[in-house]
Amino acid sequence: MLVRDDLEACNRLIVDRMQSEVSLIPQLAAHLIAAGGKRLRPLLTLSAARLCGYRGARHVKLAACVEFIHTATLLHDDVVDESALRRGQASANALFGNKASVLVGDFLFSRAFELMVEDGNLEVLRILSAASATIAEGEVLQLITQNDTTTTEAQYLKVIEGKTAALFAAATEVGAVVADQPSARQAAMRDFGMTLGIAFQLVDDALDYSADQAALGKTVGDDFREGKITLPVLLAFQRGDDAERDFWRRTQEERDQGEEDLAHALTLMRRHGALDDTIERARLYGEQAIAALASFPDSAEKTALADVVTFVIERAR
Amino acid sequence: MLVRDDLEACNRLIVDRMQSEVSLIPQLAAHLIAAGGKRLRPLLTLSAARLCGYRGARHVKLAACVEFIHTATLLHDDVVDESALRRGQASANALFGNKASVLVGDFLFSRAFELMVEDGNLEVLRILSAASATIAEGEVLQLITQNDTTTTEAQYLKVIEGKTAALFAAATEVGAVVADQPSARQAAMRDFGMTLGIAFQLVDDALDYSADQAALGKTVGDDFREGKITLPVLLAFQRGDDAERDFWRRTQEERDQGEEDLAHALTLMRRHGALDDTIERARLYGEQAIAALASFPDSAEKTALADVVTFVIERAR
């Protein structure tokens, strides 16, 4: 990995800055952070900065900010979704309680801003505070559209742009900002992150109906049980007959679910190619992400970022 | 009120900046913000800035930030405390659900940082991001000490410094910062807010055992029911005999509570002067707050801030 040293420095900074004399905070944070996610978002900040020719060390701090914000949203997301599993382990709220998860999320979020203030770049602060507001808006919109089969594809896209892609976009954009790139380059990096983020969430939403628990690190069918109206459901609903729509309304709107319902949902999705078409959309967004890299000269860093796109899409196979 | 125009401008800004195209956000935020709290914290920022001779308009934006941060913590606090009432009304989480409360809190918190970034002063950003982290630490510490009668007064003080006084201190300090005061003046304003905040929470904790619901705007005995170990409980516990300590352990640690227990708790507190002594401590912190104003020349603004101290203490009568 090109940015291996950067990522190790970032990991050290994360562990260092999640400390608090209130020991429950690092305990709970470590449960999520040290459990070792993919570190995809900080990796994007580090790689984007290097692609833009940055040679300093500030990007390490900004990558840690991005991971803190991500971890805070995970903690709050686990609370609101009442998830039992996260990354294959018991979720923090199941172990520590909802109360602690909300508050430690708040702590990490505040700590992210403290790190940004230490860095002292107002443009970075603007990008990441705006992204944070957009994430919250996306999550609220998801809450509103949950259990509502009349949700449109446009609404769904707005949800995933907010809850997922906004932070990907901010992560890559600040990489260009710290490298002091002209605004066209900053916009290109932002576009790369945004389209990659949409692709990532589309694949995630397909995997929720297809991966085995070990591979995905969470329970299959979580979205189905909660009645989260993701693209696979939207497509199956749109393409289904009256009886099928009744099935989706019963299981997703009324959340009246029996033992065989998840299997039946999968059958309907296969019948209508809902999962394949979701992955296909992800592939198209992935192509847009690659295209956003076009203005950058070829380099090992550019290849590495293109490889991330491939990795994100290939997770679905 | 000296800063009436400033406060009206602040209220307009608050309503303007809590908007979102996701309509549940302003709906839920309005439930708390428009319901009209005391606006005590933004008032402190506005008054502190004026006392320091500030003549511009930036303090209005910073006061709105402070109120957004406060509202976000209220939303998260209601979730974690499972409170039924807030300011005499059904709490936001009871009406809208825990999910929405967490996420709208996150939105308001992010929006606060967006406003600060617009203002562009890194010192203000440093003060308020540090205060936010400290608030979260205080809330987590409160969670840990809850239902634990071995909690010490020092721990209790740390909890209320974090969960309440840190934001009061930040609110007054940024007033001095925006007025470009020398660091001794900034420190004096910070001390004023910190000691006032401690006094405020001490009175609040006494009122939870003494006010009628209408006056306080929340249920009497909330802290008792939740087993929150506040100073009145600590004092009654320390001064009680073995039978009394068993009572506190049963009701606060084991949360095994019967119908007559709250009344009995009040009897024990009266017997040991626990409420009077809590108020007396608040009065002493109030005196420290007044003393922190000493270096400022007499002015209508100084009198107004001293009146806030009196108001906070007099709530207890």
Side-chain angles (χ1 to χ4, degrees), chain B residues 124-261:
Chain B
V124 166
L125 276 155
R126 188 194 60 72
I127 292 165
L128 283 168
S129 58
S132 300
T134 302
I135 292 168
E137 284 180 311
E139 297 268 8
V140 174
L141 193 60
Q142 173 170 270
L143 202 59
I144 294 171
T145 58
Q146 194 154 329
N147 309 119
D148 182 358
T149 57
T150 69
T151 302
T152 63
E153 284 189 47
Q155 285 176 307
Y156 165 78
L157 201 64
K158 207 160 186 69
V159 167
I160 69 174
E161 278 176 8
K163 75 169 190 170
T164 305
L167 189 56
F168 277 70
T172 47
E173 188 177 6
V174 299
V177 169
V178 78
D180 223 359
Q181 294 286 290
S183 62
R185 281 282 172 87
Q186 292 181 19
M189 272 291 99
R190 178 173 183 79
D191 289 346
F192 172 79
M194 182 63 82
T195 45
L196 174 63
I198 295 172
F200 178 87
Q201 189 59 53
L202 283 164
V203 169
D204 228 41
D205 288 346
L207 283 174
D208 205 83
Y209 284 94
S210 48
D212 62 20
Q213 181 166 322
L216 186 58
K218 59 181 194 179
T219 345
V220 177
D222 268 349
D223 292 348
F224 182 76
R225 273 182 291 277
E226 292 165 17
K228 235 181 231 174
I229 308 300
T230 59
L231 190 60
V233 174
L234 277 181
L235 293 179
F237 182 81
Q238 284 166 7
R239 297 169 182 179
D241 59 23
D242 285 351
E244 290 176 23
R245 291 190 181 204
D246 283 345
F247 166 82
W248 292 113
R249 286 195 198 94
R250 170 173 63 78
T251 58
Q252 301 300 288
E253 294 199 359
E254 299 160 27
R255 289 185 71 179
D256 170 11
Q257 299 179 4
E259 257 184 43
E260 304 298 317
D261 283 338

Side-chain angles (χ1 to χ4, degrees), chain A residues 85 206-225 262 266:
Chain A
L85 290 176
L207 283 174
D208 205 82
Y209 284 95
S210 47
D212 62 21
Q213 181 167 319
L216 186 58
K218 59 181 194 179
T219 346
V220 178
D222 268 349
D223 292 348
F224 182 77
R225 272 182 291 277
L262 177 58
L266 288 167

Side-chain angles (χ1 to χ4, degrees), chain B residues 258-307:
Chain B
E259 257 184 43
E260 304 298 317
D261 283 338
L262 177 58
H264 186 59
L266 288 167
T267 302
L268 297 183
M269 285 179 176
R270 269 193 295 271
R271 178 180 302 165
H272 297 295
L275 293 176
D276 286 346
D277 285 0
T278 299
I279 301 297
E280 176 59 18
R281 305 255 183 126
R283 232 183 31 74
L284 294 174
Y285 279 103
E287 279 179 12
Q288 288 183 48
I290 301 283
L293 298 174
S295 68
F296 293 87
D298 286 342
S299 67
E301 288 81 5
K302 182 170 166 176
T303 305
L305 278 173
D307 287 348

Side-chain angles (χ1 to χ4, degrees), chain A residues 37-91:
Chain A
K38 297 174 290 293
R39 294 278 197 278
L40 184 51
R41 293 156 191 82
L43 195 60
L44 289 174
T45 301
L46 298 171
S47 304
R50 292 305 191 193
L51 172 64
C52 294
Y54 182 65
R55 293 283 166 262
R58 285 173 51 206
H59 64 325
V60 169
K61 196 174 264 187
L62 301 183
C65 293
V66 167
E67 186 70 356
F68 276 150
I69 291 173
H70 172 56
T71 308
T73 64
L74 282 190
L75 279 166
H76 289 184
D77 200 40
D78 279 346
V79 171
V80 303
D81 284 350
E82 296 158 12
S83 313
L85 290 176
R86 166 74 64 187
R87 290 177 186 162
Q89 306 200 4
S91 66

